[in-house]
Amino acid sequence: MSNFKRATVVGGAPPRNALFNLRDIKIIEYKPVLPAEILSTVLDYVPAADLIRCARVSRRMREMVYDDTRWVQKLRLMGCWNEAEARARANILRKDSVGSGALLDGRTQAGSPTKKANPRIPTQSPRKSSDLLSEISSEQSQNGSSSDGFDLAPLTPIPRPLSPANTLENSALLGIMGTVQSIRGKARDEYGRLHTALRSYYKDALRTKHAANAKIFRTFRDPNQQAQMLSQLLRFASSDISIGRAQRDERLNTMVDAFEEAVAREYEQGLKVGDVDGRMKKYAAVLVTLNGGKRAVNEFITQNPLLQSKDELGDPMDCFSASSSDLFFLEEAYSFFRYLTSAFNEQLAIISQVFPPTVNVADAFLKRVADEIISPYLNTIFDTAHSTSTESYLRAVSGTYEQCVMMISNLNPPSSPESFDDTYAGVVAEAYSPHFQTYLDAEQAFFKRRSDAEVNGWERQLTQQDASIELLYMANVNRQADKRDFMSSFKKVVMMPVNVLPAFPFGTKPTTAKAIADDNKIEPPSSQGPSRSQAPVPVGSAPPRTSSPSLEPPTTELAAKAAIMKSRLEGIKSLFSLEVALSLVHMAKASLERTAAFAKTESRFQAAARTQCETIFITLLKTLGNHHVRTGFDKAVSHLSKYNPRSVNDRDGNNNHQGVAPLVTFLELVNVGDLIQQMLDVFFEQELAATKLADRNDFLSPVLKEKKRFEQMLDERVAAGLNKGIEVLMAEIEYIAATTQSTEDYNPGAAGTALTDVMDVGPSSTAVWIVDVVSAHTKMLVGSTDKNMLDVFNQEVGLRLFQTLCKHLKRQRVSVAGSIRLISDMNHYFAFVQTLKNKDILQYFKALRELSQIYLIDPHNAKEMAAIIADTDRYLGIFRPEEVYEFAERRADWYQVKTKVEKAMYGMDCIVM
């Protein structure tokens, strides 16, 4: 054993413990200097190869580099990521994982227990680059999938050749971007395949000084393949957003531009010589593959022969007459669009041969043709027509729009006709937008102006006719008579004897001045009525007024006034005309047809055009209703109120009177009004409802509201006229009853004539006449008005007839012998009222028929007479006993039975015990 001992150090430091250094060590915790968000943003601008190096730094950096969203963003920049496809794949994987998880749990319970994985990644010793690359692709290798391509990417500046087994074929390389799958969690693998395939070409393109020496042109000799590779390199470069991107994009774009320029020269040479199936088709496909073919499309449109020879299609001034610019010929515009359609179809056929279906050349070509050919042509026509004639302008706008719409059905687009139709509708709308609102305003004003002129012209014509007739009738009258008061002379006419004034038979010719002057009877009416030189009047309408009398005018003021009043009463039937209504309807139809051209097609004009069509129909209703029909009815009622039954002198006592002439003509006017209403109903159904321009079931529609307002106005005017007509009719009935009812009818022998043993038990001639007159007027309304108004008219006629007959009966003296004729008359009236089919009115005439029985009672049966008079149930509550008593006073023998009847009724013969 050695005896060596360490010498003691004098004056040195005392010896220290071996664990002293460990106690002095400070544990330093390393924390990241930058937040994770900033680090993630920095990594976005790191090249792909450098990202793999960054993954070696730490587990945290590895997680950030491997984040799938980073690689999805790169694929999205290249246009290779489809989010919908990724979502669909994720849903499928989620459903599969649910089933496989249940199966895995069953296997674990049946077999040996599995070892729980440590959530933390254990600390490993430093590894080589190859180990890191193996770890990067560990997930794919465990699933047996192919390599992601990053294991082949050179991570060091020293280039390393690729193994032959991993080299992609040229054919697969051309379409590699089309093979990228959108799978969540696998985006890094997909990007790695693209990076491995295209990186060498991308780097070479950036390093090469001359484009012709690039690897892409040395590897691929076909221009189409070269264009395809360049297109893929452009997309690949969009994912490289690292420092120096602008310089890299500039170099790559320079190479692409040189290639595009060379291909474009070849394409232009083929375009000049018309080599459609040769160079044009070949190099157009190359340009389409390169960048969508914008250069080829622009060259094709710019040098197109259709645009070069657009003046040969037609001159817009040919649509106007050389002598008068007011004349517009729409046929010339039709010829222009026909030639344009033919030439355009020829170019569409060339487009389908040259360009692939994926390139929409037809839409761009159509827009260019619209801007340079269609719009200038239409603008010239519209400006010229608008400055010369409104009607020509309206015809030009509507007619050319219809031709433009028709043109779309004759074109043959090469592909996607729906898109082409939308583009065509857009260019047509652009061409007509500056003129559409002007057209609507002009159309509305034009129809309003013409319709008002038509109605005013009709009224002016009637006024001139009245003035000419009055001037003709008053021509031979003494000028001193003109100074007299007009109202006093009118009263003379009204109150003059019956045989002085002319009659007003329905359908007769105007009374001649000679007949009025000589107080002669009117000639019988001829079968041929007066006619107008205008359009024929339909059946059921009133004959027009004659323009002037045929013979010399009267020589006295009284006869002239009578002739003027008769002419105005006859003029009721022509206060509004069916011809005017037809003319207005034709005007409205023409305006609707022009405007409907914009409403029938789906465009930006459709809603405004439909509103315009409704406005035109509303204007028609207002013009025809307020300015024509209403005015005519008001004048008719005014003329009708001036009728005096005393002025009629054609009653011969043989029941040959044809009716109340003013009322007959007014009922004819009602028929004309009903025809006008039916005409408007048919017009609405055919022109608006059938063409879907208006909804007949939309009660809030302005059209239906105005239509209901027109019908209400017509019903009100008809009701007012019928009310006045009923008054006139009852005045006529009173006059007939007062002048034709003989005292011998109800009181035989009162005039001193001898009584005969054989008596006529039939109705009197007066009763027959009254029934015939009333029946003739009530039948005239059947079919011309609705059922409700007809029922109201019949009810009012029946009620007023009842009142008139009661008044007439109180003016008569009825004997027992004459009561049989009275009962026959009441039965005749009752039979007529039954035809009116009104139960309420029928009760009145039942009571009137029972009332007539009191005249048949023998005067010796006064008590029975009193009982019948006091029996209120007998008269259905219509007559009170006091009223029946008044009728009983009209007995011829009343003064003989009065005392007995009153004693029986009022108990005057009772004795107080």
Side-chain angles (χ1 to χ4, degrees):
M1 169 179 285
S2 174
N3 294 322
F4 174 78
K5 294 182 181 179
R6 185 179 298 274
T8 19
V9 180
V10 180
R16 303 180 61 180
N17 194 353
L19 299 177
F20 180 78
N21 293 332
L22 294 177
R23 286 195 302 266
D24 295 340
I25 295 176
K26 295 181 180 179
I27 301 176
I28 301 175
E29 296 181 0
Y30 292 94
K31 296 182 180 179
V33 179
L34 297 176
E37 293 80 3
I38 297 180
L39 286 177
S40 178
T41 304
V42 171
L43 291 177
D44 290 340
Y45 295 92
V46 176
D50 294 337
L51 282 175
I52 304 302
R53 296 186 180 93
C54 293
R56 305 176 186 176
V57 175
S58 64
R59 288 174 296 177
R60 187 164 176 265
M61 292 295 294
R62 179 177 179 272
E63 292 175 358
M64 297 179 68
V65 170
Y66 285 2
D67 186 12
D68 194 64
T69 58
R70 188 178 313 282
W71 305 101
V72 168
Q73 179 65 19
K74 291 183 177 295
L75 294 177
R76 186 178 285 113
L77 291 174
M78 292 188 294
C80 298
W81 182 262
N82 188 342
E83 185 63 28
E85 179 186 351
R87 189 179 296 109
R89 291 178 181 271
N91 294 334
I92 295 175
L93 292 176
R94 187 180 299 109
K95 293 179 181 179
D96 295 342
S97 63
V98 173
S100 61
L103 181 60
L104 181 60
D105 292 340
R107 291 180 179 178
T108 305
Q109 295 175 2
S112 60
T114 58
K115 184 178 179 180
K116 186 177 181 180
N118 188 358
R120 292 180 175 270
I121 300 177
T123 306
Q124 299 178 359
S125 59
R127 297 162 293 172
K128 297 181 180 180
S129 299
S130 60
D131 297 334
L132 180 61
L133 292 177
S134 299
E135 182 181 352
I136 293 175
S137 59
S138 60
E139 296 177 1
Q140 292 294 332
S141 61
Q142 290 175 2
N143 296 330
S145 59
S146 59
S147 175
D148 60 359
F150 273 97
D151 55 341
L152 305 179
L155 302 180
T156 61
I158 301 175
R160 184 173 55 185
L162 300 177
S163 61
N166 294 325
T167 304
L168 297 175
E169 297 293 338
N170 293 340
S171 59
L173 188 62
L174 292 174
I176 189 172
M177 282 196 172
T179 63
V180 176
Q181 297 180 349
S182 301
I183 305 175
R184 291 177 179 174
K186 308 295 182 181
R188 178 171 53 86
D189 304 336
E190 298 297 324
Y191 183 82
R193 291 196 305 109
L194 295 179
H195 187 276
T196 303
L198 301 177
R199 183 174 182 275
S200 60
Y201 294 95
Y202 179 65
K203 293 296 183 181
D204 180 77
L206 298 179
R207 290 194 300 264
T208 304
K209 296 182 179 180
H210 300 285
N213 299 329
K215 179 182 178 181
I216 189 173
F217 299 114
R218 289 184 280 106
T219 305
F220 302 94
R221 310 304 298 179
D222 183 63
N224 200 4
Q225 294 180 351
Q226 295 171 355
Q228 192 170 356
M229 285 298 299
L230 287 175
S231 177
Q232 291 187 136
L233 288 182
L234 289 173
R235 296 173 61 185
F236 181 77
S238 61
S239 66
D240 185 9
I241 59 175
S242 58
I243 299 175
R245 178 184 180 182
Q247 292 78 7
R248 292 192 298 272
D249 291 345
E250 183 180 359
R251 292 179 183 178
L252 185 60
N253 290 332
T254 302
M255 178 184 295
V256 173
D257 292 342
F259 176 77
E260 183 181 12
E261 186 66 28
V263 174
R265 285 197 298 268
E266 296 294 332
Y267 172 79
E268 292 175 1
Q269 292 179 2
L271 181 62
K272 291 180 180 179
V273 299
D275 189 5
V276 176
D277 294 330
R279 281 181 288 181
M280 286 182 64
K281 183 176 182 180
K282 176 181 178 180
Y283 292 104
V286 174
L287 293 174
V288 170
T289 304
L290 180 63
N291 54 13
K294 296 181 180 179
R295 179 76 175 270
V297 174
N298 292 335
E299 291 294 333
F300 177 82
I301 295 176
T302 304
Q303 302 183 16
N304 193 272
L306 178 60
L307 298 176
Q308 300 295 333
S309 59
K310 56 186 177 181
D311 296 336
E312 299 178 1
L313 296 174
D315 186 3
M317 298 307 298
D318 293 341
C319 299
F320 299 92
S321 175
S323 58
S324 175
S325 58
D326 294 343
L327 299 178
F328 176 75
F329 303 104
L330 198 57
E331 293 77 9
E332 295 294 334
Y334 291 163
S335 300
F336 167 79
F337 282 102
R338 185 169 58 252
Y339 297 149
L340 179 61
T341 303
S342 177
F344 198 87
N345 279 329
E346 293 179 0
Q347 298 304 317
L348 289 179
I350 296 176
I351 291 174
S352 61
Q353 295 178 10
V354 174
F355 297 94
T358 56
V359 183
N360 193 355
V361 185
D363 291 356
F365 182 58
L366 177 61
K367 293 179 181 179
R368 189 71 172 271
V369 170
D371 293 339
E372 297 188 8
I373 298 180
I374 298 179
S375 294
Y377 183 85
L378 294 178
N379 291 334
T380 303
I381 291 180
F382 296 160
D383 295 341
T384 305
H386 192 269
S387 61
T388 55
S389 172
T390 303
E391 186 174 5
S392 298
Y393 174 74
L394 299 178
R395 292 178 59 242
V397 175
S398 177
T400 54
Y401 184 82
E402 287 182 346
Q403 192 62 24
C404 287
V405 174
M406 190 181 301
M407 180 180 175
I408 187 61
S409 60
N410 297 326
L411 295 179
N412 303 316
S415 61
S416 60
E418 294 81 6
S419 174
F420 184 78
D421 293 348
D422 295 340
T423 303
Y424 186 83
V427 298
V428 172
E430 290 294 332
Y432 281 86
S433 292
H435 307 276
F436 181 67
Q437 189 59 45
T438 305
Y439 164 76
L440 293 182
D441 298 339
E443 186 72 70
Q444 177 66 19
F446 179 74
F447 174 70
K448 186 70 169 58
R449 183 172 61 253
R450 289 197 61 185
S451 58
D452 290 342
E454 183 73 18
V455 175
N456 295 335
W458 172 261
E459 294 178 355
R460 192 183 308 110
Q461 181 182 1
L462 292 182
T463 304
Q464 292 175 356
Q465 288 180 359
D466 292 340
S468 62
I469 291 174
E470 184 175 358
L471 180 62
L472 183 61
Y473 283 153
M474 300 295 293
N476 293 343
V477 179
N478 187 2
R479 292 298 94 190
Q480 296 297 328
D482 294 339
K483 300 179 182 180
R484 301 175 185 177
D485 183 56
F486 174 78
M487 292 304 299
S488 61
S489 62
F490 182 76
K491 292 179 180 179
K492 292 179 182 179
V493 175
V494 174
M495 302 304 297
M496 65 192 306
V498 175
N499 58 353
V500 175
L501 288 178
F504 305 99
F506 167 64
T508 59
K509 289 183 178 181
T511 308
T512 60
K514 182 178 181 181
I516 297 176
D518 298 339
D519 289 340
N520 293 332
K521 293 185 178 181
I522 300 175
E523 296 294 332
S526 61
S527 59
Q528 184 71 21
S531 60
R532 189 192 299 266
S533 60
Q534 300 176 4
V537 180
V539 178
S541 62
R545 299 173 63 182
T546 54
S547 60
S548 61
S550 57
L551 297 179
E552 65 273 9
T555 56
T556 64
E557 181 184 5
L558 192 61
K561 296 292 184 180
I564 292 173
M565 187 178 67
K566 174 186 178 299
S567 175
R568 289 178 178 176
L569 289 176
E570 285 185 344
I572 290 179
K573 65 186 71 176
S574 59
L575 288 177
F576 58 81
S577 170
L578 193 62
E579 294 179 356
V580 174
L582 284 172
S583 179
L584 293 181
V585 168
H586 284 305
M587 294 178 189
K589 186 174 184 296
S591 296
L592 280 179
E593 288 178 350
R594 289 193 293 263
T595 310
F598 295 91
K600 293 178 181 178
T601 57
E602 295 185 359
S603 62
R604 69 180 68 173
F605 308 136
Q606 188 176 28
R610 292 171 67 92
T611 304
Q612 177 78 356
C613 293
E614 295 179 352
T615 305
I616 291 174
F617 185 73
I618 291 174
T619 304
L620 171 65
L621 293 176
K622 290 182 178 179
T623 304
L624 192 57
N626 299 337
H627 299 165
H628 191 57
V629 176
R630 175 184 290 181
T631 305
F633 270 116
D634 292 343
K635 290 181 180 179
V637 173
S638 176
H639 293 338
L640 194 61
S641 61
K642 299 177 182 179
Y643 174 76
N644 187 3
R646 296 177 179 272
S647 62
V648 182
N649 65 348
D650 64 338
R651 302 181 179 91
D652 55 3
N654 296 325
N655 195 16
N656 293 328
H657 181 55
Q658 298 182 3
V660 183
L663 182 57
V664 171
T665 54
F666 180 80
L667 294 180
E668 290 183 356
L669 199 66
V670 173
N671 291 332
V672 176
D674 182 69
L675 286 176
I676 292 176
Q677 181 178 350
Q678 294 180 12
M679 184 193 313
L680 293 177
D681 291 339
V682 173
F683 180 78
F684 174 79
E685 290 294 330
Q686 293 184 355
E687 299 297 330
L688 293 175
T691 57
K692 306 299 182 181
L693 296 177
D695 186 5
R696 64 171 65 91
N697 299 322
D698 185 8
F699 61 92
L700 296 177
S701 173
V703 176
L704 293 183
K705 289 183 179 179
E706 188 63 32
K707 188 170 178 290
K708 291 293 184 182
R709 195 175 293 113
F710 174 83
E711 295 172 354
Q712 182 179 1
M713 180 275 300
L714 190 61
D715 292 341
E716 291 176 354
R717 292 303 182 273
V718 171
L722 292 180
N723 182 53
K724 182 62 66 175
I726 292 174
E727 294 179 1
V728 173
L729 179 62
M730 292 301 109
E732 180 74 12
I733 297 303
E734 290 182 5
Y735 186 83
I736 293 175
T739 56
T740 62
Q741 190 79 60
S742 174
T743 57
E744 296 286 336
D745 291 340
Y746 299 150
N747 190 8
T753 58
L755 298 176
T756 59
D757 296 336
V758 180
M759 297 184 62
D760 185 10
V761 295
S764 63
S765 59
T766 300
V768 174
W769 193 347
I770 291 174
V771 169
D772 290 344
V773 171
V774 177
S775 176
H777 290 82
T778 54
K779 290 180 179 179
M780 292 183 65
L781 284 179
V782 177
S784 61
T785 58
D786 58 353
K787 186 178 183 301
N788 294 331
M789 182 169 290
L790 183 62
D791 292 340
V792 172
F793 177 77
N794 291 338
Q795 182 177 358
E796 190 68 19
V797 168
L799 184 60
R800 295 196 186 186
L801 178 62
F802 169 79
Q803 297 173 353
T804 302
L805 293 178
C806 291
K807 188 188 301 184
H808 173 64
L809 185 57
K810 290 181 180 180
R811 292 196 295 259
Q812 304 299 318
R813 282 293 178 182
V814 184
S815 63
V816 176
S819 62
I820 298 176
R821 177 64 64 87
L822 177 62
I823 294 174
S824 299
D825 288 351
M826 295 305 166
N827 288 332
H828 190 59
Y829 294 138
F830 180 80
F832 162 71
V833 174
Q834 281 183 321
T835 61
L836 300 181
K837 298 180 180 181
N838 193 310
K839 295 181 180 180
D840 297 335
I841 298 299
L842 194 62
Q843 299 297 321
Y844 286 89
F845 284 86
K846 283 183 179 180
L848 190 61
R849 188 174 60 177
E850 293 295 331
L851 180 65
S852 64
Q853 302 293 329
I854 65 175
Y855 300 104
L856 190 60
I857 302 174
D858 190 82
H860 298 89
N861 300 325
K863 292 184 178 180
E864 287 79 2
M865 186 184 304
I868 293 176
I869 293 174
D871 188 4
T872 57
D873 295 335
R874 185 183 186 90
Y875 308 106
L876 305 176
I878 295 176
F879 292 110
R880 294 176 299 172
E882 294 81 2
E883 294 175 342
V884 180
Y885 181 82
E886 293 179 1
F887 283 103
E889 290 178 343
R890 305 312 301 169
R891 286 179 61 98
D893 54 358
W894 175 247
Y895 293 104
Q896 300 176 10
V897 300
K898 178 180 179 181
T899 304
K900 297 179 181 180
V901 171
E902 289 179 349
K903 288 181 180 180
M905 289 182 62
Y906 305 117
M908 297 177 64
D909 56 347
C910 297
I911 301 175
V912 179
M913 299 299 294

